[in-house]
Amino acid sequence: MIPTNSLTSDEYPDSSINSHDNRPDKPEEACGVFGIYAPEQDVAKLTYFGLYALQHRGQESAGIATFEGPHVHQHKDMGLVSQVFNEAILDELPGNLAVGHTRYSTTGSSRKVNAQPAVVETRLGLLALAHNGNLVNTVKLREELLKDKFNLITTTDSEMIAYAIAQEVNAGADWVTGAISAFHRCEGAFSLTIGTPEGVMGVRDPHGIRPLVIGTLDSQPLRYVLASETCGLDIIGAEYLRDVAPGELVWITETGLESFQWHQKSERKLCIFEMIYFARPDSLMHDETLYSYRMRLGRKMAAESPVEADLVFGVPDSGIPAAIGFSQASGIAYGEGLIKNRYVGRTFIQPTQAMRESGIKMKLNPLKDVLFSKRVVIIDDSIVRGTTSRKLVQALRDAGVAEVHMRISSPPVTHPCFYGIDTDTQDQLIAATKSVEEIAKQLQVDSLAYLSWEGMLETTREDTNSFCSACFTGDYPVAIPEKMKRSKLILEKAVV
C-alpha cells in the first residue's frame, strides 16, 4: 500500500487547458524532474524548492515521492507547486531520498491520475519515476506490458517506463541491470529521475534530447542532486557538477555516484528549443547562461534582418535577452514597450466575451506614452499559431505606434514535435501553411523576419550537428512510427 494524500478530484476544472483559443501561442514543455539522495537533509523540502525553480517547465500538476527505507511517502495533485504543497504536507514526506516532478501533459491527459512520480511495485520494493520527454513506441510497449498482465492505471508513457523496469526486475535483475534492459525497449526522448529503496537514478536517452544535470551539496559525505536545469540546483545551494551524458545512467547511493554508459551508440541531439525558450535564462548550458546565448541570437538577427526604427523591445519574458542583443548590434534604443502582469495564471473565473477578444491585455499591457508615434521592433522567440501575435500587434496599433516590425529569434516552426513538446498538428502551425509574407499580412505588421536556421545553430558556438531542430526542418533524429506520424504530419511539405 502506498500512502497518498488526495485533495482534489481527477478532473481539473480549468477550461483553459483544453481551449484552443486560450492556449499560449508558444510550444509548451513537457515537465521538470528532480532527484536527491541526502539522508542528513530534509529531502522533501529541498525537492519542493527544486520543483519551484523548475515550475516554468510545467504548470498542470506536481508531485514528490520520498523513500524511508522500504516505505514510500508521496503526494501529488493538480496545480502549481506552491498550490500542491504546504509545510504540513511536506512534514508528512520523511525519508533519505526523493524524486519530484512538475508536469505539462503531452502523452496522457491533464488529470490527477496522470500526475507524477509514477509509483509501481517490484520484487525489490517500490519504484518512483519522474519523466521529462515523450516515447514514440508507446503502442508497442503498452502491448508488451499488457501481455504480462500489468495493470496500467494511467494513460502516460511514463508509467509504461516504470512498469518496463518492474518487469525486468521481477524477472530477476537488480535495479541497475533491470533499468538498463528496460531503457533498451524505450524509443524517443526520456530524461528520468528514479527513486528506489537503495538509491536514486538519473537517466538520459541516447540522444539526450531533454536536459538533466548533476549537482553536489556542500556536505560530508558528499551528496548528489539531479535536476532538469541548473536553476533547480542553485535554489538549494547545490553546485553544478556536470550534465548526465546522452545514453548514461548515474546511480546515487550511500557509497556515492556510479556511472553506467548504458547505450554504446549515443549521439547528442539536445532540443534546440531548450536553449531558445524552454530553459530559464539563468540556467547553464555549455558553460554559460542561456541569457548569453539568447542575446547572441538578437545580435545575429540584427545582422540578418536590419530595420530602421526608434525603439526595440522584447515580449516578456522570453524575448527580452534577444531584444537587448538586437539593440546592441543595431544601435536602436532598447526600452520596455510591454508590461507583464506576473500574477496572471490559471483562473477558475472566465473572462467576459469582450475581455476574451482583447485577451492579450490580461497578460501584456502596452506603455502607450512610450510607444505613441514610434517605429518599433518587437522581438519574440517563436510563433506557433499566430493567434497571440496578432492580438499583440493590434494592441500596439491601438497604443498609437507608427510602424510595427516583428523579429523572431528562431526559424519558422513548420513541423510538430514528437519528443515532449506540445505542438499542434502540422496544419495548425502557421508557418507550415503560409509564407513569411503571408504571415506578415495576417499579423498586420510592417515587416516580419525570422532568424535563419544556420544562424540559430552557429550562434550556439557548439557542434551544429549536436542539436535536434526537427520542428524547423522535419528531420527527426528518432524514427517516428507511421501511425503517430500521420496523426500530426498532415501536410506533405511546409511552405516556408
Side-chain angles (χ1 to χ4, degrees), residues 16-30:
S16 67
I17 290 173
N18 297 313
S19 169
H20 185 80
D21 290 338
N22 289 334
R23 288 173 57 193
D25 191 16
K26 299 282 185 185
E28 294 182 274
E29 180 55 87

Side-chain angles (χ1 to χ4, degrees), residues 32-38 43-48 50-51 54 62-67 72-76 85 90 93-102 116-119 126-131 192-197 199-202 212 225-227 251-252:
V33 300
F34 189 89
I36 183 170
Y37 185 95
V43 293
K45 189 165 287 187
L46 292 176
T47 302
Y48 167 84
L51 295 180
L54 298 171
I64 296 173
T66 62
F67 283 73
V72 173
H73 307 273
Q74 71 159 327
H75 179 82
K76 52 187 178 181
F85 296 98
L90 292 172
L93 301 174
N96 62 345
L97 62 94
V99 294
H101 189 267
T102 183
Q116 295 183 37
V119 179
L126 293 167
L127 171 152
L129 179 144
H131 174 206
L192 309 167
T193 55
I194 303 169
T196 76
V200 175
M201 293 182 203
L212 188 64
V225 183
L226 300 163
W251 178 228
I252 303 167

Side-chain angles (χ1 to χ4, degrees), residues 26-29 209-210 269-278 293 381-385 408-434 439 450-453 456-457 467-478 480 488-489 491 493-496:
K26 299 282 185 185
E28 294 182 274
E29 180 55 87
I209 295 173
R210 297 282 152 229
K269 291 288 183 180
L270 176 69
C271 170
I272 191 67
F273 247 120
E274 292 283 355
M275 297 187 63
I276 295 168
Y277 170 64
F278 290 133
Y293 170 66
D381 54 79
S382 61
I383 302 175
V384 178
R385 292 178 297 277
I408 306 301
S409 62
S410 65
V413 177
T414 56
H415 289 73
C417 179
F418 296 91
Y419 307 135
I421 299 173
D422 182 30
T423 52
D424 289 298
T425 54
Q426 194 177 18
D427 63 332
Q428 294 296 317
L429 303 175
I430 191 171
T433 60
K434 298 182 186 299
I439 297 170
Y450 291 83
L451 184 66
S452 68
W453 178 75
M456 171 190 70
L457 293 175
F467 297 97
C468 175
S469 58
C471 52
F472 307 120
T473 65
D475 182 13
Y476 296 97
V478 181
I480 310 299
K488 279 192 172 184
L489 283 171
L491 310 174
K493 179 177 167 181
V495 174
V496 178

